[in-house]
Amino acid sequence: MSKSISIFDTTLRDGTQGEGISLSADDKLKIAKKLDELGVQYIEGGIPGSNSKDIEFFKRVQQLGLAAKITAFGSTRRKDSQAEQDANLNRIIESGAQAATLVGKSWDFHVHTALQTTLEENLAMIYDSIAYLKRQGLEVIFDAEHFFDGYKNNPEYAVAVLKKAKEAGADWLVMCDTNGGTLPHEIGGIVSAFHASVPDANLGIHTHNDCELAVANTLSAVQAGARQVQGTINGYGERCGNANLCSIIPNLQLKLGYECIGEERLKQLTNTARYVSEIANVNMPVNQPYVGNAAFAHKGGIHVSAILRDSRTYEHIVPEWVGNKQRVLVSDLAGQSNIVSKAQDMGLDFDPSNEQSRKVIDKIKDLEHQGYTFEAADASLELLLREAGGEMKELFTFESFKMLVEKTAGQPVVSEAFVKLNVAGNNVYTAAEGNGPVNALDNALRKALVQYFPAIKEMHLSDYKVRVLDEKDATAAKVRVLIESRDISNSWNTVGVSGNVIEASWEALVDSMRYALLGQILNERDAEETPSNEQRGLVNH
Amino acid sequence: MSKSISIFDTTLRDGTQGEGISLSADDKLKIAKKLDELGVQYIEGGIPGSNSKDIEFFKRVQQLGLAAKITAFGSTRRKDSQAEQDANLNRIIESGAQAATLVGKSWDFHVHTALQTTLEENLAMIYDSIAYLKRQGLEVIFDAEHFFDGYKNNPEYAVAVLKKAKEAGADWLVMCDTNGGTLPHEIGGIVSAFHASVPDANLGIHTHNDCELAVANTLSAVQAGARQVQGTINGYGERCGNANLCSIIPNLQLKLGYECIGEERLKQLTNTARYVSEIANVNMPVNQPYVGNAAFAHKGGIHVSAILRDSRTYEHIVPEWVGNKQRVLVSDLAGQSNIVSKAQDMGLDFDPSNEQSRKVIDKIKDLEHQGYTFEAADASLELLLREAGGEMKELFTFESFKMLVEKTAGQPVVSEAFVKLNVAGNNVYTAAEGNGPVNALDNALRKALVQYFPAIKEMHLSDYKVRVLDEKDATAAKVRVLIESRDISNSWNTVGVSGNVIEASWEALVDSMRYALLGQILNERDAEETPSNEQRGLVNH
């Protein structure tokens, strides 16, 4: 029997049902790209036509040329109607997705209670809908909702539902534990029984974490014959979440020898998990298995000395296999290789054996300890590395900023910023208003720089995220600001950290502008190798 | 075979190895009392003599008269020495604990690598230590460290270790998956095999969550014959944590029919989980199974209308069985039925067919359109609903606030806020500094209110989140601020939306304080039904 598993990611659809998870179309496109790099086989993008974000997503994702198949989600046709006239089915077809995930009822109780129709009509709804989508050339993944509850209540009917879907041409039959209440031995038994009776069906599994068993239930189903696994990054999803792909993939691949995304791509797992949590703006639990910051952290003194003798004493896998690293309270060399590979990515000359490079590594580690994260702030990291290499001039000398927000009853709120800098030997003092404090700062800083660096007009801020780092202290805690900026052809990300959200924003803002003007503040040694400012059509100072 | 399971809680020992978890002696005593009320059979208090907190704990816990057995943790005697002369074993005896948890090696690799002794001497260390503690009248629980890794590497030796412990008089033989790397089918197989060969041994299971399988592994062991379960509240513990008793207990009791803590005490589970998270000062994941705030929360519109018809449609158990409750999230995906059920939860008279109720629904929809979200801001929604019902007085009349952030090169950033209000007919003008702008506003607003509402001192902000709503405009876009606040027994969430992050924060801050002081600003009609301010020991205005 094949040991190859199809990974079906539904972060963008079922994941967004999680409390506090809300993704824009841009967010969804970024995550889709990242999932494609990770090597998942299916990316479920949303429900076409349910809202404008999903419409935009399905339109724009086609231009990304991803290797993964994009799938659109919908229900079987309405009762007592024609599949061809069903608005939702037609929206799936119009979405341009290569595959459709079609959800249908397999629990007789739900057919009566939720659909309020007959068991026969439900079978017809499933058959007609799948057959219609197949005629349109789509791959069809049939999600049998509440399959295990249905099977326990009325096994004949639950089985008849899957057989009907297969008869209609469904490519995958996916058994869903929609309420998350089923136990691993039950899942294993039911999947085995069905698999034995219909050995040529392609089976999938979709579980929820209501009993803290979603990962185990998925493994049970795979061991019983399922070959598609549906889940989400970090287990996002309604109630207690969906099955967490970040634990399932390494369990299947490293522990059970199944082929999922391959050895090399598995190394991107930690980075993917953290990237998605940044985009979703949800803190990752520090103790998350495999990809959490504490997943391979050792606190106990005895453990640490044993770990230093032999990692296998207290580590079940090599952390680097999933792109994570060991953390112990002694100088660790794990982070270094990441920085070296980043520097090489940027085309920088970076030799970790020389003293200057070691200093940069120490500085970056110290900043990370303070709460900076460079995973989602490449531009800030590049500035740090170039600065350490002595490549850069200062954009300006900072003197001060002041930021005032004032609200009087019945009046609109007013934000003003005042910036005092020395730019190219000239004292500059500017003031500006804005919609909010950061906008006011942005405006005042631009005003100060534009006469010396007109290119600043070409760029603008395109995303702004704030994260409280230590929730315990709430408004007295440290915050991290991530800013995304764009010009006509590029986008870049910068970071700032401070106990004060305004100071953190200022830091990320300044980095954003330094990066935009990089060509003009590199020292001559480098300027010779990069296009000169004149060549780039920029005024030199 | 008995269906009764002994619950062994190690929150106070293994739980404190978790990153960010630190408990004082007072904290430990409070948690021990709570665990005793929950009905666990064993409470592992710590390592006697390892530090002054644990010494104090073991001394004071004896005065509490708990029903649970207190156990003290330690290792087998040092190699090549006498158990009677072993300082750690003697400290266990002196601690006054009724039971000892003795950890010993069962993986030959660890005997060689970590202990650096012979397999024979390790067996002697185990035998001597247990026999000595038994002679002193203690119950002895033997924790076989790395049992499953040991069994996979050298089954004869791992089994010999357990048999030696039994021979020495150990009351329980506990198999530990110390590195958390074992899978459920392996655990089940190994426990079954040992159980078949030594049927009269009392077996226990201790798992870690490194593969997100600790709960499943525990269930597997119980199904294979283990009758003691070791774990922690909320799964606290080193790396990815220990087995989470808050999921294991309901799974065993509600799903598999084992007797753990009884039906009545199970209703205290949610409260216990939240209490321990408060004492440990660790935020509980909203999606934690069984006891999390979102464990029975419903967001999707179709789900909600089915849930209102019959809860079993999307809930695997009745939430009240574990002391939790159903929550219907108000989100743009749902509609009126969600608001109605929310209002009913709050005990409000809310009939969607009357005009006033329809106006509130329209207002809420309009606010959602502006970017407010009430799914994560129950308290703001309740204030809105009560306000619409004419139930509330104003907390104060707003006049103005000013907020100033100033940063000069080489100086720390300074944040100041100035608040002008009319409270109970008095003009109040306060100024305060803070770590950041929102902290300064919080401080100034508290200063203004505290003389009229001393209860404000009891609450504090515990989480603060910022989200940019329309990324296209970045710093000129709308932002949504979510604030979580707490007092000793509750937590609540409020929301603010504005183009200005400071104004949005102000709005959420004010709602947070209004909600904290709700009892004092309800109109008389309601005040009659709720305890008066005097009854609550609060100053009336």
Side-chain angles (χ1 to χ4, degrees), chain A residues 106-108 146-154 176-182 190, chain B residues 312-313 316:
Chain A
S106 59
W107 186 2
D108 55 355
H146 296 290
F147 179 76
F148 299 96
D149 291 310
Y151 190 97
K152 287 193 261 180
N153 200 46
N154 184 344
C176 302
D177 184 31
T178 310
N179 291 1
T182 312
I190 294 170
Chain B
R312 285 175 302 157
T313 52
H316 68 120

Side-chain angles (χ1 to χ4, degrees), chain A residues 11-266:
Chain A
T11 306
L12 305 182
R13 203 270 306 168
D14 230 6
T16 63
Q17 291 288 309
E19 187 161 348
I21 309 248
S22 166
L23 299 172
S24 68
D26 272 340
D27 291 340
K28 285 189 164 200
L29 289 159
K30 281 183 199 159
I31 292 174
K33 267 167 89 170
K34 198 79 181 174
L35 290 169
D36 192 54
E37 285 165 27
L38 183 67
V40 308
Q41 284 78 17
Y42 294 90
I43 297 172
E44 185 167 77
I47 308 174
S50 67
N51 59 66
S52 59
K53 288 188 296 195
D54 284 8
I55 294 170
E56 189 185 339
F57 171 82
F58 282 105
K59 211 162 114 188
R60 290 173 56 195
V61 75
Q62 297 179 47
Q63 295 146 22
L64 296 182
L66 305 184
K69 288 179 193 164
I70 301 300
T71 111
F73 180 88
S75 303
T76 51
R77 69 157 170 81
R78 289 171 178 278
K79 60 186 177 189
D80 311 317
S81 67
Q82 302 279 314
E84 288 74 4
Q85 262 94 64
D86 192 275
N88 289 316
L89 293 177
N90 285 324
R91 278 198 281 255
I92 290 175
I93 295 162
E94 290 153 16
S95 74
Q98 298 107 298
T101 315
L102 210 68
V103 63
K105 301 286 185 195
S106 59
W107 186 2
D108 55 355
F109 163 68
H110 256 264
V111 175
H112 299 311
T113 317
L115 287 183
Q116 301 183 311
T117 188
T118 64
L119 299 182
E120 295 67 35
E121 172 60 7
N122 180 51
L123 290 177
M125 288 158 65
I126 291 165
Y127 186 91
D128 295 352
S129 308
I130 294 173
Y132 176 49
L133 293 176
K134 288 303 296 176
R135 283 198 301 279
Q136 302 297 318
L138 276 88
E139 178 173 340
V140 176
I141 295 144
F142 178 68
D143 271 18
E145 201 191 23
H146 296 290
F147 179 76
F148 299 96
D149 291 310
Y151 190 97
K152 287 193 261 180
N153 200 46
N154 184 344
E156 293 75 24
Y157 188 69
V159 166
V161 162
L162 288 191
K163 287 185 173 166
K164 184 60 78 180
K166 185 163 184 286
E167 192 189 322
D171 300 277
W172 289 96
L173 308 179
V174 179
M175 300 164 168
C176 302
D177 184 31
T178 310
N179 291 1
T182 312
L183 304 186
H185 69 285
E186 299 172 320
I187 300 255
I190 294 170
V191 176
S192 276
F194 185 83
H195 184 55
S197 73
V198 191
D200 65 331
N202 294 317
L203 301 184
I205 181 73
H206 174 117
T207 66
H208 283 261
N209 205 33
D210 298 77
C211 296
E212 207 175 327
L213 293 167
V215 171
N217 283 342
T218 300
L219 300 190
S220 265
V222 169
Q223 291 179 299
R227 287 294 171 268
Q228 180 184 109
V229 164
Q230 298 192 347
T232 62
I233 297 297
N234 301 326
Y236 297 142
E238 197 167 28
R239 304 186 313 273
C240 308
N242 284 54
N244 179 6
L245 290 177
C246 297
S247 295
I248 290 170
I249 294 172
N251 279 334
L252 288 176
Q253 203 166 298
L254 300 176
K255 304 261 167 175
L256 289 165
Y258 289 94
E259 177 72 20
C260 301
I261 57 174
E263 201 177 306
E264 271 311 306
R265 283 168 149 174
L266 188 59

Side-chain angles (χ1 to χ4, degrees), chain A residues 247 415 462 464 471-472 500, chain B residues 281 283 415 462 468 471 500:
Chain A
S247 295
S415 303
S462 54
Y464 173 79
E471 296 177 359
K472 298 323 153 314
N500 187 308
Chain B
N281 203 14
N283 282 328
S415 303
S462 53
V468 177
E471 296 177 0
N500 187 307

Side-chain angles (χ1 to χ4, degrees), chain A residues 16-22 24 26-27 105 107 109-110 113-114 116 145-146 178-181 183 185 209-213 215-216 219 223 238-240 244 247 251 255-256 279-281 286-290 294-295 297-300 303 309-310 312-316 327 398-409 413 415 435-439 442 461-466 468 471-472 474-476 499-503, chain B residues 16-19 21 105 107 109-110 113-114 116 145-146 178-181 183 185 209-213 215-216 219 223 238-240 244 247 251 255-256 281-283 286-290 294-295 297-300 303 309-310 312-316 327 329 333 375-376 398-409 413 415 435-439 442 461-468 471-472 474-476 499-503:
Chain A
T16 63
Q17 291 288 309
E19 187 161 348
I21 309 248
S22 166
S24 68
D26 272 340
D27 291 340
K105 301 286 185 195
W107 186 2
F109 163 68
H110 256 264
T113 317
Q116 301 183 311
E145 201 191 23
H146 296 290
T178 310
N179 291 1
L183 304 186
H185 69 285
N209 205 33
D210 298 77
C211 296
E212 207 175 327
L213 293 167
V215 171
L219 300 190
Q223 291 179 299
E238 197 167 28
R239 304 186 313 273
C240 308
N244 179 6
S247 295
N251 279 334
K255 304 261 167 175
L256 289 165
I279 300 280
N281 204 13
V286 66
N287 62 355
Q288 191 173 322
Y290 288 106
H298 303 282
K299 187 174 176 181
H303 283 205
R309 254 181 249 139
D310 190 325
R312 285 175 302 158
T313 52
Y314 289 97
E315 281 178 0
H316 68 118
R327 281 170 58 224
F398 173 69
E399 296 189 2
S400 72
F401 72 73
K402 245 179 258 170
M403 213 282 309
L404 181 70
V405 176
E406 193 165 356
K407 166 83 184 166
T408 304
V413 65
S415 303
N435 293 32
V438 181
N439 188 230
D442 184 19
L461 309 198
S462 54
D463 192 9
Y464 173 79
K465 284 206 167 102
V466 182
V468 176
E471 296 177 359
K472 298 323 153 314
T475 55
N500 187 308
V501 64
I502 302 301
E503 189 178 38
Chain B
T16 62
Q17 292 289 310
E19 190 161 341
I21 309 238
K105 301 287 184 196
W107 187 0
F109 163 68
H110 256 264
T113 316
Q116 301 184 310
E145 202 191 20
H146 296 291
T178 310
N179 291 1
L183 303 185
H185 69 284
N209 204 34
D210 298 76
C211 296
E212 206 174 329
L213 292 168
V215 171
L219 300 189
Q223 291 178 299
E238 196 169 27
R239 302 186 314 272
C240 308
N244 179 7
S247 294
N251 280 334
K255 304 262 167 174
L256 288 166
N281 203 14
V282 171
N283 282 328
V286 66
N287 63 354
Q288 191 174 321
Y290 287 107
H298 304 280
K299 188 172 177 181
H303 282 204
R309 255 182 248 137
D310 189 325
R312 285 175 302 157
T313 52
Y314 289 97
E315 283 177 359
H316 68 120
R327 277 169 64 227
L329 304 178
L333 293 175
E375 73 181 54
F398 173 70
E399 297 190 1
S400 73
F401 72 72
K402 246 178 260 169
M403 211 282 307
L404 181 70
V405 177
E406 192 165 357
K407 167 84 184 164
T408 305
V413 63
S415 303
N435 293 30
V438 182
N439 187 231
D442 184 19
L461 309 198
S462 53
D463 192 7
Y464 174 79
K465 283 206 170 98
V466 181
R467 170 112 200 154
V468 177
E471 296 177 0
K472 302 302 164 318
T475 55
N500 187 307
V501 65
I502 302 300
E503 188 177 41

Side-chain angles (χ1 to χ4, degrees), chain A residues 331-457:
Chain A
S331 70
D332 77 278
L333 297 171
Q336 176 172 310
S337 58
N338 292 350
I339 297 168
V340 173
S341 86
K342 273 271 174 241
Q344 283 163 352
D345 282 357
M346 291 167 186
L348 299 180
D349 181 26
F350 193 83
D351 173 5
S353 66
N354 78 38
E355 200 197 344
Q356 196 192 26
S357 297
R358 276 205 311 279
K359 268 191 196 158
V360 190
I361 291 174
D362 288 344
K363 182 170 183 187
I364 290 171
K365 280 188 186 166
D366 181 51
L367 288 170
E368 283 184 334
H369 184 72
Q370 288 174 42
Y372 286 78
T373 175
F374 296 102
E375 260 159 31
D378 274 7
S380 286
L381 180 62
E382 183 170 339
L383 291 170
L384 261 173
L385 291 172
R386 289 192 185 275
E387 202 165 38
E391 292 184 19
M392 291 174 58
K393 290 182 279 214
E394 280 193 342
L395 187 59
F396 57 77
T397 308
F398 173 69
E399 296 189 2
S400 72
F401 72 73
K402 245 179 258 170
M403 213 282 309
L404 181 70
V405 176
E406 193 165 356
K407 166 83 184 166
T408 304
Q411 303 291 319
V413 65
V414 176
S415 303
E416 296 169 292
F418 310 90
V419 167
K420 217 184 266 182
L421 309 174
N422 187 293
V423 191
N426 305 298
N427 288 322
V428 184
Y429 192 10
T430 56
E433 288 193 323
N435 293 32
V438 181
N439 188 230
L441 270 182
D442 184 19
N443 291 340
L445 183 55
R446 279 165 186 278
K447 223 172 174 175
L449 295 177
V450 71
Q451 46 187 322
Y452 305 95
F453 304 98
I456 204 89
K457 281 184 285 192

